[in-house]
Amino acid sequence: MSRSELRQASEWVWELPMSGQMRVPGRVYANPYIVGHVLDEVKKGEWNPLTQLKNVACLPGLQKYALALPDLHVGYGACIGSVGAMDLQEGVIVFGLVGYDINCGLQTFVTPLTRKDVKGKEERLAEELYRVVPAGLGIGGKVRLDKDRVDEVLERGAHYAVENGLGLKEDLELMEEKGCIRGANAANVSPEAKARFEKQLGTLGSGNHYCEVQYVEQIYDEEAAKAFGLFRDQLIVSIHCGSRGLGHQVGSDYLKVLEKAMPGYGLTVPDRELACAPIQSEEGQRYLSAVYAGINCAFANREVLTHLARTCFEKTFELKAEEMPMLYGVAHNTAKLERHRVDGREKELLVQRKGATRSFGPGREEVPEKYRKVGQPVIIGGTMGTASYILKGTRTAMEETFGSTVHGAGRTMSRVGALKQWTGKGVVDELARRGIIIKGHGLKGIAEEAPGAYKDIDQVIDVVHHAGISSKVARVRPLICVKG
Amino acid sequence: MSYELFEHRADIGVRGKGKTCEQAFEECAKAMFSAMVDVERVAPKKKVQFDAHASDLEALLPEFLNNLLYVRDVQGMVFSRFEVKDLRQGPGQWGLKASAWGEKFDPNRHEPKTEVKAATFYQLSVRKTPQGFVAECVVDV
């Protein structure tokens, strides 16, 4: 892969023209800063995001383009920040386009509080969140499930949490798939995957997962902000996590199933983690229903965490849960059936997003009614030291990216590299000077997540905003971040 | 025999070296747990055993490591000593017998770092070198 292969197609889009076994071209949403980072990764070796994009473009049934968003970096099989939309008859469901942490995602609720209200109470609130939100290696949740209850979670998603008093009924309407995707089949999830989840409902985990209290620093779009219930200086809370050990076990289990199935369908792939099966095949359908179960598992997990975070505000500020409504919940690693226009004709496709967010524009029936005029809220997680963004979905995304946009800043430095450059204590102290409280369960984990190990979030957002595949509504800054 | 962590853009690479392939696998497991805790502080009090199988030798490495992660989640344990035996090709598949020694995870004693969620096929390699064997892959955190 050389620089010359990546051609600038328009101000915000670079193209990877067809070559070798590619069936469609590749497309990268970027600016020169992002392209610089990508080429830097390419220089480092054979395993890089452009090779991975090229590999994805070789898969049968892919529609229009293999897409990569500006937070792209090397992933498993497919790069993080990629989208592939498949024809239902000719296409395949691909392990690498869903990944290990099924439905890792972000959920945000708003509060009636402003920055002023939290003055002097920051440390108390941070301690309370740290105590109440289970996070970190090997830390179990407060809810224990038996096998039947796990099945219920897998088939009913966030509805399970709400019916058990661990969330608000009104929240469900404000999550992708209304908190429960149809078609999940718990019977297609292994007993091992379920056993891993028995103690993990309502746990954050570690790595890049967090529970963050943020304030609205800037509003770009008054109309959308009003629809989303956002105002300047307002406190909001964002939770980033996924399906925990269950999702990973489903991933590892089906990687084997798909790999074994491929020869029977005459499929070969350039990377083992692109293992796939025809969507309509027995193995493909089984995997899809297990992915759906993983999606529901993560919806339930985030809803329980939302409930726990709200209780901290109830206690510290004497608020009621109902005074802290959900903004929205988005999913990052998914495979979903959606209707999109291809060559002027609307058709149903399997849209697989790996480290990418749905960005449905105005008018789509999947967008909750209260947001349907403006487009869905798109929540983007930055780093614990910089900023996060609330965007809105657009019509351009429907036309160009199968209704998809970026999901975060994207790393530029390895965890091992970050540990060489920063210490956990150094990061905590530096952020404290900037008024950000970090509560972590391991100092090493904090050093690994140092803001400097990520791309500049403002540049990443600039690309998707100007390219028009999502549009800026608000910029938020962290005040308190609880890490696993 | 030795183990180490190596760089990957978003996650962590684990590498084990040994005179035999079994030893390289054992060291690789130690590398993986060293990404999660201070393995020096994990007492080898309780033993768990399992068999692992995969379609080829390389795939056997993540399979072995993922089995350990499964036991960690379900039994709430972390491990510091590993033994791999009978690593060989059987009819139609590769297999090994594994033992691991460790104890209940204690966040106050074990210096928790990052939770490894899965061993992957990324940069997966099991190879013979002039010095012995090297087993490595990237783990998702």
Side-chain angles (χ1 to χ4, degrees), chain A residues 37 40-41 44 47-48 52 73-77 80 100-101 136-139 191-193 195-196 199-200 204-209 244-246 248-249 252 255-256 259 271-273 411-417 420 441-445 448 455 484, chain B residues 5-13 33-37 53-60 62-63 66-78 104-107 110-124 138-141:
Chain A
H37 275 291
D40 216 34
E41 249 188 293
K44 281 184 187 156
W47 300 76
N48 69 62
Q52 291 188 328
H73 62 76
V74 76
Y76 300 108
I80 308 299
Y100 288 96
D101 196 354
L137 173 73
I139 303 301
E192 289 77 16
R196 286 179 77 167
K199 294 175 201 157
Q200 291 190 334
L204 205 52
S206 75
N208 62 359
H209 294 166
R244 311 287 291 113
L246 182 138
H248 283 74
Q249 189 73 43
S252 299
L255 184 52
K256 287 182 273 186
E259 209 175 27
D271 181 329
R272 290 184 86 158
E273 282 168 329
R411 287 189 81 93
T412 60
M413 191 189 288
S414 74
R415 290 174 182 278
V416 177
K420 284 180 195 154
H441 288 257
L443 282 171
K444 281 222 164 120
E448 288 175 6
K455 286 194 194 99
Chain B
L5 302 177
F6 64 89
E7 299 201 11
H8 169 268
R9 182 60 65 109
D11 296 308
I12 300 173
F33 276 89
S34 80
M36 292 187 262
V37 289
H53 303 281
S55 56
D56 54 275
L57 173 61
E58 287 200 328
L60 193 55
E63 181 64 20
N66 281 326
N67 265 287
L68 287 165
L69 295 178
Y70 167 73
V71 182
R72 177 207 61 190
D73 273 0
V74 172
Q75 298 196 21
M77 289 180 71
V78 285
K104 274 256 177 252
F105 170 65
D106 178 353
H110 294 144
E111 292 216 351
K113 300 173 194 170
T114 304
E115 181 182 61
V116 173
K117 292 183 286 198
T120 77
F121 283 67
Y122 191 88
Q123 289 187 358
L124 169 62
V138 167
V139 294
D140 191 21
V141 302

Side-chain angles (χ1 to χ4, degrees), chain A residues 145-155 160 186 189 193-195 197-199 246:
Chain A
L145 302 167
D146 60 22
K147 287 191 181 66
D148 293 344
R149 298 288 91 74
V150 172
D151 284 3
E152 250 190 84
V153 171
L154 298 187
E155 293 186 358
Y160 177 88
V189 174
K194 291 174 191 172
F197 194 62
E198 285 176 13
K199 294 175 201 157
L246 182 138

Side-chain angles (χ1 to χ4, degrees), chain A residues 85-123:
Chain A
M86 291 285 181
D87 179 88
L88 293 189
Q89 302 313 317
E90 291 159 28
V92 288
I93 177 164
V94 191
F95 167 80
L97 278 173
V98 178
Y100 288 96
D101 196 354
I102 299 168
N103 189 6
C104 184
L106 262 168
Q107 184 153 303
T108 299
F109 67 85
V110 302
T111 77
L113 306 168
T114 65
R115 270 176 93 186
K116 256 196 257 152
D117 299 314
V118 80
K119 272 257 154 21
K121 291 183 181 169
E122 299 97 333
E123 192 57 42

Side-chain angles (χ1 to χ4, degrees), chain A residues 107 109 171 239 302-310 326:
Chain A
Q107 184 153 303
F109 67 85
D171 293 346
I239 291 161
R302 282 194 289 276
E303 183 60 9
V304 174
L305 287 165
T306 297
H307 165 76
L308 293 173
R310 276 182 179 137
M326 181 84 89

